[in-house]
Amino acid sequence: MPRNFPTAEDSPKEFVLQRFNFVEQGRGSLEGNWIKYYKLWRSYVEKKSYPYESNLFIPYIFSIIETILPRLTRNLFSVRPFVKVQPRREEYTNNASVMTDLLDYCAYVDKLFFKAVSFILSMLIYGTAIAKVYWKDVDFKGNSQERPSLEILDIFDFYIDPFATSVGIGGDSDFSIMRAYKTQEWFRERADQGNFENLDALFSDLSGYMGNEYKKNERRNLFNYTQLNPPYTSMHEVLELWTNDRVIILVDRQHVIRNEPNPYGYQPFIRIVDQNIPLEFYGIGEVEGQEDHQLSANDLRNQFMQTSFNISQPSYICSRFADINSSQLVARPSGRIDTDDMAGIQPLRINPQLLNILLQAEGTVKEDMERRSGVFDLIRGERTRGEETATEILSRGENANARFGLKTQLLEYLFLETLGEMWGDMCQQFMREEKVEAIVKEDATKFIRVSPEQIKGRFLYVPTASTISEAQKMVDRRDLLQIFQLAAQTGRLNVDEALLTLLNYFPVKNKEKFLLPPQPVGLQGSPNPQNPQPQEGEGQGGENPINLTSDIVQ
């Protein structure tokens, strides 16, 4: 006999809770690993008995992550706009340029770079990071926003279909759930916006509900931060479930305040992974696989510190018949030891070579961690070992840059391209009226007028990130200059294209402003008399040559 399962339309409460409880009960080991990775990243020293007086935590993992993070963010956001919109048909060319400007504006006002740092950092620690993409009509004060936005989620608050390998546009997840905690004031501020229903029952319930967040609270408590129910308001658990055709919001596991068709047509989440595992949702981060090495490095360093202490303040072998006061054996300036037998006291000898052995062992462990991560001393900008040749150093740097380049390309696809596609889709779907926005550049502000008609069309969203390392750019700049010099001697060099290509290898934004605008020519190729070429020494007037293609509001 077929089983009757609750449906989203008829039994939304049971529909949400069935799926949430199933995922929550099955991912205990995942959350345990996340806590472990967080401790290692924060260099957390366990409060336990230790065989050495020294109890240091050597922040190798922290150093690895803090070396990779700026490289990835610099590669992804060294160029504006972060994504360039390309038309799929010729008639969409102008609209694609307008959409590029609009997404650049949205990224600026949404503080995308700041959010991306936290997003990528979470990915490096846990192996996977999740963000929600949504359309923002108004802010919490009721002011009009009319733009897409990105919200970074705590990985502990995201519950995915356990059989899924991806989420978002083209994802195979049947459902995804995000959890949050909100005050009653938060719901009251949004009551007049018409997004929620059945709020009267929620407002009459003043108790609130705090779910079982054992692992998440454990992470908070590590550094003496305790999550408690605030005495001045009630906190309410919010479970927001998305399927490809439905969205349901359940509060305190009792009140359904939203149950309607999914306005996007997909689950609006972005997933990024540090190292992808084929056919699995969660990836591998920089901490996983380094735990034993980090703990071994800690142990060896603490042995080194203890041994150094024992050499500087040794123990003594004393004869029981030498009549020695044990309190005098403690090292102190101008100290003395009274004894009746000079041969009755001898320091405990420790071989000083033990210090070198411990340092070499720790160095070996560190090298293993570097091979695992690709972050060598050279990459961190530290001094390399003297015995390495220049060829070995260059080879090691190229191999590390290749690994960082792959991470950047993966983020281009999973993050920037997906974000651009979602933001563009939402702008096309929800923008209702013409608007004027400001695009803030390095040295100027341009005002653009955008209407729904100007962003219609089918587009491709191409990230503009660079995967080329600074060291490789230096080599490429030198080679390009040699090529241009040879080409110039033949008289077949396109100077404008050559300069623009060369500028791409320098940390310069708005490169087009260095080039003169193209000059119109007559039918026979002579300069147009109505637009004469400027003479040498004359200034170039007119507009900034950057082509925004949108309607410029003077």
Side-chain angles (χ1 to χ4, degrees):
M1 185 175 181
R3 297 172 59 185
N4 294 323
F5 297 102
T7 63
E9 294 80 3
D10 300 330
S11 305
K13 173 183 170 182
E14 290 75 15
F15 186 84
V16 174
L17 290 179
Q18 249 189 11
R19 285 155 177 77
F20 177 80
N21 291 332
F22 175 69
V23 178
E24 185 181 42
Q25 294 169 6
R27 72 173 201 179
S29 60
L30 268 178
E31 293 186 351
N33 287 335
W34 294 338
I35 288 292
K36 180 172 61 178
Y37 303 154
Y38 180 81
K39 288 181 178 179
L40 292 168
W41 170 63
R42 291 291 302 269
S43 303
Y44 178 76
V45 179
E46 297 287 350
K47 308 300 182 184
K48 63 180 182 180
S49 59
Y50 208 67
Y52 316 109
E53 294 184 15
S54 174
N55 193 11
L56 300 178
F57 193 111
I58 313 306
Y60 284 138
I61 287 179
F62 183 87
S63 175
I64 288 171
I65 290 177
E66 292 304 308
T67 300
I68 298 176
L69 178 62
R71 283 177 168 265
L72 294 181
T73 52
R74 181 187 62 190
N75 289 347
L76 291 174
F77 294 98
S78 60
V79 179
R80 281 187 60 187
F82 74 96
V83 65
K84 187 173 183 179
V85 183
Q86 301 285 3
R88 291 194 174 187
R89 295 181 182 176
E90 186 176 356
E91 58 265 29
Y92 300 144
T93 300
N94 291 334
N95 286 12
S97 298
V98 176
M99 180 66 85
T100 298
D101 293 338
L102 179 59
L103 295 186
D104 187 31
Y105 160 78
C106 292
Y108 181 80
V109 297
D110 200 50
K111 297 178 173 58
L112 179 60
F113 175 78
F114 176 77
K115 294 180 178 181
V117 172
S118 297
F119 195 32
I120 298 172
L121 176 59
S122 180
M123 175 200 74
L124 295 173
I125 297 171
Y126 301 113
T128 308
I130 305 294
K132 179 187 176 184
V133 182
Y134 65 99
W135 181 258
K136 180 182 285 189
D137 282 312
V138 295
D139 60 16
F140 69 96
K141 295 182 180 179
N143 300 321
S144 176
Q145 292 285 323
E146 286 276 318
R147 62 174 176 84
S149 184
L150 183 74
E151 178 184 358
I152 310 303
L153 303 183
D154 189 332
I155 194 170
F156 285 86
D157 289 330
F158 185 75
Y159 299 79
I160 189 70
D161 171 15
F163 304 104
T165 61
S166 58
V167 70
I169 297 177
D172 61 357
S173 171
D174 286 340
F175 67 90
S176 51
I177 303 172
M178 60 171 288
R179 178 170 64 177
Y181 289 93
K182 304 296 182 182
T183 64
Q184 279 212 0
E185 289 73 19
W186 186 89
F187 290 101
R188 294 185 188 278
E189 289 170 352
R190 290 156 178 79
D192 298 333
Q193 300 175 14
N195 295 327
F196 303 134
E197 57 187 14
N198 302 327
L199 290 179
D200 291 339
L202 176 62
F203 293 154
S204 64
D205 181 7
L206 300 179
S207 60
Y209 178 83
M210 295 295 290
N212 298 324
E213 292 189 296
Y214 302 119
K215 293 298 182 182
K216 190 174 179 180
N217 284 332
E218 180 183 345
R219 185 185 64 182
R220 293 190 182 106
N221 294 336
L222 289 174
F223 296 93
N224 299 322
Y225 175 79
T226 304
Q227 177 69 13
L228 300 174
N229 287 325
Y232 46 83
T233 187
S234 58
M235 298 295 294
H236 298 270
E237 180 193 56
V238 180
L239 298 179
E240 185 175 303
L241 179 142
W242 291 84
T243 66
N244 290 335
D245 55 9
R246 204 80 187 169
V247 55
I248 304 173
I249 297 181
L250 180 65
V251 180
D252 296 341
R253 309 196 182 187
Q254 293 292 331
H255 312 289
V256 177
I257 64 172
R258 185 181 182 188
N259 184 11
E260 61 188 25
N262 184 343
Y264 307 125
Y266 52 83
Q267 298 165 43
F269 298 99
I270 293 178
R271 154 193 169 264
I272 59 174
V273 294
D274 184 23
Q275 299 176 51
N276 189 51
I277 303 177
L279 303 180
E280 292 191 23
F281 184 82
Y282 293 102
I284 301 174
E286 297 302 319
V287 184
E288 184 174 347
Q290 299 275 37
E291 179 187 15
D292 292 339
H293 291 82
Q294 177 65 72
L295 297 180
S296 296
N298 294 345
D299 190 63
L300 289 167
R301 180 66 65 87
N302 286 308
Q303 288 186 55
F304 174 84
M305 299 299 293
Q306 183 67 51
T307 303
S308 300
F309 177 82
N310 292 339
I311 292 176
S312 62
Q313 299 189 26
S315 299
Y316 291 91
I317 303 174
C318 300
S319 171
R320 295 176 180 175
F321 306 103
D323 192 20
I324 297 174
N325 185 350
S326 60
S327 63
Q328 292 182 321
L329 297 178
V330 179
R332 58 176 61 90
S334 303
R336 55 179 287 174
I337 301 175
D338 298 322
T339 178
D340 293 336
D341 183 4
M342 295 298 295
I345 179 171
Q346 296 180 13
L348 180 64
R349 302 294 182 183
I350 299 177
N351 188 353
Q353 291 299 320
L354 181 59
L355 295 177
N356 292 331
I357 294 173
L358 291 171
L359 287 178
Q360 290 174 3
E362 183 185 344
T364 301
V365 173
K366 181 184 176 184
E367 288 180 355
D368 292 339
M369 298 180 73
E370 291 174 343
R371 293 190 186 96
R372 162 67 174 77
S373 64
V375 179
F376 300 94
D377 291 340
L378 173 68
I379 304 302
R380 285 194 292 264
E382 298 178 2
R383 188 180 304 171
T384 59
R385 295 188 301 271
E387 65 269 16
E388 291 182 323
T389 66
T391 303
E392 290 174 340
I393 294 175
L394 181 60
S395 176
R396 180 175 292 188
E398 289 177 348
N399 291 334
N401 289 328
R403 297 173 71 170
F404 295 142
L406 178 60
K407 292 179 186 291
T408 302
Q409 290 177 314
L410 190 61
L411 287 175
E412 285 179 355
Y413 170 71
L414 292 176
F415 182 22
L416 296 185
E417 184 176 333
T418 304
L419 180 65
E421 186 174 359
M422 287 186 176
W423 275 11
D425 176 72
M426 291 179 182
C427 288
Q428 290 178 329
Q429 184 177 356
F430 299 110
M431 185 176 288
R432 295 184 291 268
E433 58 187 17
E434 185 179 84
K435 59 195 301 185
V436 176
E437 303 294 0
I439 298 182
V440 180
K441 296 291 186 180
E442 289 294 308
D443 54 358
T445 300
K446 290 290 184 179
F447 294 91
I448 62 169
R449 179 182 288 116
V450 182
S451 68
E453 292 295 324
Q454 288 179 293
I455 57 175
K456 286 184 176 180
R458 299 181 61 194
F459 306 117
L460 296 173
Y461 298 86
V462 183
T464 58
S466 172
T467 60
I468 305 175
S469 68
E470 291 301 318
Q472 186 61 43
K473 285 183 179 181
M474 293 177 61
V475 176
D476 292 343
R477 284 198 292 264
R478 180 195 61 196
D479 294 342
L480 281 173
L481 286 172
Q482 293 178 352
I483 294 173
F484 292 162
Q485 290 173 356
L486 294 175
Q489 296 175 2
T490 66
R492 298 176 58 84
L493 178 67
N494 186 327
V495 178
D496 286 347
E497 288 296 329
L499 288 176
L500 187 59
T501 302
L502 186 59
L503 285 172
N504 287 329
Y505 288 86
F506 286 87
V508 176
K509 298 181 180 179
N510 300 331
K511 302 174 179 61
E512 292 84 354
K513 72 180 181 182
F514 289 91
L515 304 178
L516 299 177
Q519 299 297 323
V521 296
L523 293 178
Q524 302 300 322
S526 59
N528 192 323
Q530 297 180 356
N531 295 278
Q533 295 279 357
Q535 299 298 319
E536 183 177 358
E538 291 183 353
Q540 297 296 321
E543 297 292 333
N544 189 313
I546 301 174
N547 180 21
L548 293 177
T549 70
S550 307
D551 293 336
I552 304 297
V553 180
Q554 301 296 339

